[in-house]
Amino acid sequence: MTDRAFAVVRAGALTTVQDLGRIGHAHLGVPRSGALDADAHRLANRLVGNAPEAATLETTVTGCAVRVRCAVTVAVTGAPCPVTVDGRPAAWGAPVRVPADAVLEVGTVTHGLRSYVAFAGGVGIEPVLGSRATDLLSGLGPDPLADGAVLPLGTPGTPAVAVEAVPHAGPVRELVLPVRLGPRDDWFTAQGLRTLLTGVWRVSAESNRIGLRTEGPSLERARDGELPSEGMALGAVQVPPNGLPVLFLADHPTTGGYPVVGVVQEAALPAAAQAAPGTPVRFVRAHRSPRTRGAY
Amino acid sequence: MTAPPPGPTGSRAAEGHALRMRTLPVGDHGLLIELDSGEAVEALHAELLRRAAAGQLPATREIVPAARTVLIDGLAAPERFAAELAGWEIPPAARSGARTVELPVRYDGPDLADVAELWGVTPDEVVRIHSGTEFRVAFSGFAPGFGYLTGLPERYHVPRRATPRTRLPVGSVALAGPYTGVYPRSSPGGWQLLGTTDAVLWDSAREPAALLAPGTLVRFVPRSFDPHPEAAQ
């Protein structure tokens, strides 16, 4: 077989197809979705010569294994992990040529949570509303990978650009989230806001692609009740009645009724995607987004 | 208490109504515009879409109307936009030209009798009142294609059920608070079930995928319930 596809040998704990998500459909109740560590997703694509919007695989802790039906260049980024091709060690964070019929194994992470696997040409499934991303909240996009599933690959475009060194953030020892207060900071007391900016939480094991949940001090509310449903942004820090902040990630609901005390800058979300349960979390007051200063 | 709104508030509608807006920051690139009523949300949303279509709106990622707010995300300069917004003339939203969708409903829901009791009418009257109302999709959320439909007078607003059901079937037509909703897929829910429709609320392969979008006008058309249509012949 030399068709452009791969078969899933070991799906791992949770492996999904991801890209840059479905932007522009939130008014229909469609979450954005897309890679949680968008920086790692982009880098993996760049290493194999794909455009940033090409679909990659996002693994969760235990990696995955696939048998490719054609020779293809791949790259693994995000959470560091052992990579093998037919059992032989291969590079992490670099283009790897995988021969037809070989098994690419992405192992358990050494730290972090989510690794990204790019294939030259990208995962070639049909997009839904312009995106191939699996959305675990609403069920749009392909199902998470299952053992035995076969997924098509797209046609490679330009040859990969040479990337000499892969920047790597290292383990997230403490997740520091720059937050801009609002829109509903006035639903909290001055003490509650002080707690937000001085307290230390830990990443809860209940976290998922929808939100990073925390354990720690409760934020004191200035008023009870719920808001009429209002639009929710990526990075929103929503505070349910238990007072524990929830950071909204890519699969977050488009509207909600719990107050949002502040919004975390998008540039900090890749680190949140890699923060394992138990990691300390702090919120600091954001000043200006690096992206509005012209970094992009 | 902290973080003052980035822009001044207040704008004047064409007919002399003041459309009062409170502008709240949402991160570095978003604004939440809070308004006094659902009608004001409708008017601002319509004006945003009109200006976007005319190429008079700065680039955005999302414009999300809700019950009392419109979220605008992905603005390069939200403070500047908030200041500009305060000077807009915003006419009331015109309903002429809005898309109208008719949804056939079998009014056989398990909560029909409870709703009748809450309304103080007979179940037949519930059907007559509900199907005689022109609804409008105020906003969407909860699931792709789920619209929050307004139109029932306040005296017909009902609470959620004390105990939510673990599974509402696809196409459930249900009431809660001021809203009627139609479930695009099976889901748990605490809304009061009036009946079901066979209309496909969401189809990813269809253009548009969502049958109901903010601003769509909706009428429910009663269908008689016959569990054995073939036996009738």
Side-chain angles (χ1 to χ4, degrees):
Chain A
M1 296 283 283
T2 56
D3 54 330
R4 292 201 59 78
F6 64 85
V8 179
V9 176
R10 182 178 66 80
L14 173 65
T15 302
T16 58
V17 177
Q18 293 300 337
D19 56 17
L20 299 179
R22 303 183 173 85
I23 289 174
H25 304 285
H27 63 290
L28 300 176
V30 176
R32 179 194 300 205
S33 192
L36 287 201
D37 184 344
D39 292 348
H41 162 87
R42 287 171 188 274
L43 177 61
N45 272 329
R46 189 161 168 240
L47 289 167
V48 300
N50 289 345
E53 58 269 21
T56 62
L57 299 181
E58 179 183 281
T59 68
T60 312
V61 182
T62 60
C64 68
V66 301
R67 182 183 295 278
V68 299
R69 293 185 171 177
C70 58
V72 61
T73 300
V74 305
V76 182
T77 63
C81 59
V83 178
T84 64
V85 175
D86 274 347
R88 291 187 197 89
W92 175 94
V96 172
R97 187 76 181 158
V98 182
D101 268 336
V103 172
L104 169 71
E105 172 91 29
V106 178
T108 294
V109 299
T110 52
H111 59 259
L113 292 178
R114 296 175 170 98
S115 305
Y116 291 82
V117 188
F119 302 84
V123 179
I125 54 163
E126 274 302 304
V128 173
L129 298 180
S131 166
R132 298 178 170 86
T134 298
D135 170 357
L136 294 178
L137 181 73
S138 74
L140 295 183
D143 289 337
L145 262 56
D147 292 354
V150 175
L151 280 80
L153 290 170
T155 308
T158 54
V161 293
V163 178
E164 297 209 336
V166 169
H168 176 231
V172 181
R173 303 266 183 229
E174 182 186 49
L175 183 61
V176 179
L177 299 170
V179 64
R180 176 157 177 183
L181 294 184
R184 299 296 178 186
D185 48 318
D186 61 351
W187 277 56
F188 298 85
T189 63
Q191 181 57 46
L193 296 178
R194 239 186 333 269
T195 304
L196 177 72
L197 297 172
T198 58
V200 180
W201 285 263
R202 286 188 183 276
V203 176
S204 159
E206 303 295 303
S207 302
N208 54 27
R209 283 186 43 85
I210 297 165
L212 182 146
R213 292 172 183 278
T214 63
E215 292 164 354
S218 290
L219 302 188
E220 186 181 70
R221 289 260 294 257
R223 55 172 113 172
D224 294 326
E226 278 188 38
L227 289 151
S229 282
E230 62 189 28
M232 293 283 142
L234 181 68
V237 180
Q238 201 193 49
V239 184
N242 68 9
L244 298 176
V246 178
L247 170 64
F248 272 0
L249 302 178
D251 288 357
H252 72 85
T254 57
T255 59
Y258 297 136
V260 170
V261 66
V263 177
V264 169
Q265 289 177 332
E266 201 168 331
L269 297 181
Q274 300 296 358
T279 304
V281 184
R282 285 192 302 123
F283 296 92
V284 297
R285 198 184 279 272
H287 294 288
R288 263 274 160 241
S289 161
R291 294 191 179 180
T292 54
R293 284 202 302 252
Y296 270 56
Chain B
M1 150 182 330
T2 56
T9 57
S11 176
R12 203 145 288 280
E15 293 173 3
H17 307 294
L19 197 55
R20 289 197 302 153
M21 295 189 271
R22 189 173 161 231
T23 314
L24 304 166
V26 178
D28 290 333
H29 301 290
L31 293 174
L32 188 70
I33 319 294
E34 193 170 42
L35 299 120
D36 288 339
S37 66
E39 290 71 32
V41 168
E42 187 181 342
L44 175 61
H45 184 232
E47 181 66 10
L48 286 165
L49 296 190
R50 194 191 67 74
R51 291 192 184 227
Q56 296 166 346
L57 202 66
T60 62
R61 264 194 319 219
E62 305 284 359
I63 298 176
V64 188
R68 289 289 179 274
T69 57
V70 179
L71 170 69
I72 308 172
D73 200 11
L75 289 162
E79 284 88 355
R80 196 163 65 211
F81 184 72
E84 191 188 308
L85 188 61
W88 283 13
E89 297 275 323
I90 301 175
R95 297 209 169 181
S96 60
R99 201 164 61 96
T100 302
V101 170
E102 289 197 346
L103 299 177
V105 182
R106 288 186 308 274
Y107 282 96
D108 58 356
D111 300 326
L112 188 61
D114 288 354
V115 170
E117 200 175 320
L118 287 163
W119 286 9
V121 300
T122 65
D124 282 352
E125 277 290 283
V126 171
V127 174
R128 197 187 60 75
I129 294 165
H130 193 258
S131 62
T133 302
E134 182 181 67
F135 290 90
R136 180 184 168 276
V137 181
F139 61 99
S140 299
F142 170 66
F146 182 91
Y148 291 80
L149 277 58
T150 52
L152 281 177
E154 197 169 343
R155 65 181 178 281
Y156 298 135
H157 297 179
V158 296
R160 286 161 200 256
R161 290 174 54 79
T163 311
R165 290 191 173 84
T166 51
R167 188 182 164 278
L168 301 188
V170 180
S172 291
V173 176
L175 300 183
Y179 303 115
T180 289
V182 187
Y183 284 71
R185 59 193 165 99
S186 174
S187 130
W191 290 34
Q192 311 268 4
L193 257 64
L194 288 190
T196 51
T197 177
D198 293 332
V200 179
L201 275 292
W202 178 268
D203 177 357
S204 294
R206 183 176 65 192
E207 179 58 49
L211 189 59
L212 308 183
T216 305
L217 302 180
V218 180
R219 274 190 182 281
F220 295 95
V221 181
R223 288 277 181 277
S224 60
F225 176 65
D226 185 350
H228 303 291
E230 68 283 354
Q233 298 187 355

